[in-house]
Amino acid sequence: MPVADLKSYFAAATRLFRVPADNPDLMRAQFDAFSKQVPLLYFILISNTIAVAYTYVNVAPDWLTMIVPSLLTGLAGLRTYWWLRQRHIVRSDADILRNLRATNWLTLPVGAGFTAWSFALYPYGDPFAKSQVAFYMAVTVIGCIFSLMHLRSAALIVTLIVDVPYVLFFFATGEPTLKAIAVNNLLVSGAMVTVLFIYYRDFADLVASRKSLLAQQAATQALSDENFRLANLDSLTELPNRRRFFAELSSAFTDAERRNVRVAVGIIDLDGFKPINDNSGHSVGDRVLIEAGRRIREVCEGFGPQRVEIARLGGDEFGLVVCGDPEDADLMRLGERIGNQVRLPYQLDTAHTGLSCSIGFALFPDSATTSEALYECADYSLYHAKRHLRGRTVIFSSELEAEIRSRGVIENLLRSADFSTEMDLVFQPIVDAMSEHTAGFEVLARWHSSRLGLVSPADFIPAAERIGLIRPLTQALLARALATARTWPDHIRLSFNLSAHDVCTAEGILPLISIIEKSGLPPHRIDFEITETAVTFDFVRAQQSIATLKAMGCGVSLDDFGTGYSSLSHVHRLPLDKIKIDRSFVSDINDNPVSYKIIKSLTGLCDDMEIACVAEGVETRAQLDTLRRLGCDFIQGYYFAKPMPGPAVTGYLADETRRLGLHAEATSLVPA
Ligand code: C2E
Ligand code: CA
Ligand code: CA
């Protein structure tokens, strides 16, 4: 055999007697398992030793039967105590290796010591006692191999240090019984060592597989962490999403409740985003959302002393959770900073400005006692901001609470209202600006509630929209309005208001068509008024509905123009017949140069597009004169008449004919 081979065999053999240092996991497992078995090991050793010492007590010298066993027992006791203490100590890998190595080499003197002691006793015994020594050594070594299973090197050292001298010694006695015991012990020890190898290999495998299982678990955990992150992230803006927002809100709320401090919820809605999205395309819209989200996040991160969490709730809505006992003033300050950032220009393909945002806040514990109710309150504040204080911040207050309550009352009563008896129609003339002849009437709904009295359509129409009653209501009102209009002279038109819900769904518009067909009123005498907001709500649907109505021969007017997004492209892309300039511009046309300019440009626009222009809410002669000068085509307002009940229309028209007839006669008498 070559020397190199011999060397490698020798190295492999010595490795068997060493604690492996290259596998910390195995080492740790060995240490754990072994520390549990150690008491067992010493129990076997000590109890066997005492049994032998007892037998020899009267025949052998005291130092052999008393002193040495006591010393060995004391030592074993100390080691047991030391090992028992190890169970609760956290150790480093190096520490464990050092201890295992020490244990490994300790088996050498301990094994040698007990063996030497046994051989020293042997000569004093009678044949029985001599056999007991042979038995004692055999049983003890098997017990030790068993107890040292997890530390293979130590078990092998013990086997070797005991069994080799054992066999030599008892063979040297020449006693056939003892020789037989020695051979027997050798065979059993051999079998035990085989078991030891198998067991140790399985043990090492088990440790390795547990390690890979742990690694697998860690990988699975990492994967699920990533999934968790994605499930809580809005993919467009990379802000926390709606789900994350509500989780955050609920935990912040619980925390505030426990610590007895305030917490606030905010909802941000971008004003003017929809037209950008509709007109410039979704990719531009997406970029605006990303940028707006980034700016809001920046404000939140730089805000203090309160901590502000931001999330995208969907569409152009963002949510805020403000922790750290915020005051109203803090929320206003936060709202203002966000507003200022959102309003800054955006770098877009199309030069567009005019994005702003409305924010609604609600504070715990002032406004609500649950996180869900708090969110609802913030939502209502936002709704209020959008309707009345666009682009501003509104904090939920007791006034808003009263408003909500009355909204709830209106909704409930509306559900049980009988449209045919409680709903009424009134008619307001739309007058030709130059001739002052009535060209038509706008029909306006009135609700006489038995409980609430007269309710404004500005309140009950939105309520009907919210509770899903607007379509049956529109249908009932239209049928009655058409029936009334049939009694009018042929040249008098009817203007009827449609809600966003009528216009933006297919189910909304089709029933109206059959109602018109059944009414017998020629469609060309009807104008449908659609608000700018309804059009921006769902532009494509609105466009389809308008096309359907136009195809029938009906006219379409854009209502409340100037209050919505004022996106001129809408006007260009819709086949409109009239634009109605909102009352808010008309009311201060003579006092506010801005209103004057807006109306001037609107009348110019209508002229260019050959669309008729209607001014709403005209209350004074001065307003009428200015509007005429600016080229307004039609006038509506209290200056001519307030909305009147249906039966009053005939009398009103007759009066007008008389008045204008006289006026015409009077003017014709004036010499040219
Ligand atoms: P609108 O379509 O802009 O109707 C004009 C509103 O201005 C009416 O209020 C009218 O009474 C009022 N008004 C007219 N002239 C003057 C004036 O010179 N000065 C002032 N201060 N106000 C004037 P009303 O009847 O309370 O209706 C409010 C809103 O409710 C309407 O605004 C319309 O959007 C909605 N609405 C009314 N009836 C219906 C309906 O049958 N269906 C739908 N969908 N909405 C309706
Ligand atoms: Ca109207
Ligand atoms: Ca209007």
Side-chain angles (χ1 to χ4, degrees), residues 514-527:
S514 75
I515 291 173
I516 297 168
E517 278 166 353
K518 275 189 212 136
S519 75
L521 191 76
H524 67 82
R525 280 180 60 194
I526 310 169
D527 284 313

Side-chain angles (χ1 to χ4, degrees), residues 442 497 529 559 580 616:
E442 175 176 4
N497 292 288
E529 297 193 0
D559 204 356
K580 296 187 80 171
E616 293 186 303

Side-chain angles (χ1 to χ4, degrees), residues 399-420:
E399 292 88 61
L400 285 190
E401 196 176 346
E403 208 177 294
I404 287 192
R405 221 170 271 140
S406 79
R407 260 163 56 119
V409 171
I410 290 177
E411 286 169 10
N412 277 336
L413 291 175
L414 197 59
R415 278 199 186 90
S416 53
D418 178 357
F419 292 166
S420 63

Side-chain angles (χ1 to χ4, degrees), residues 111-175:
F114 277 95
T115 308
W117 177 72
S118 311
F119 293 158
L121 270 183
Y122 179 84
Y124 299 100
D126 58 11
F128 281 124
K130 284 180 175 166
S131 312
Q132 192 192 359
V133 170
F135 173 76
Y136 156 75
M137 292 182 73
V139 165
T140 307
V141 84
I142 291 168
C144 288
I145 295 174
F146 233 99
S147 310
L148 289 167
M149 278 287 189
H150 300 102
L151 200 58
R152 190 179 59 183
S153 49
L156 287 175
I157 290 173
V158 169
T159 313
L160 221 65
I161 210 75
V162 179
D163 278 353
V164 173
Y166 183 92
V167 174
L168 294 176
F169 183 87
F170 287 107
F171 258 87
T173 60
E175 243 345 288

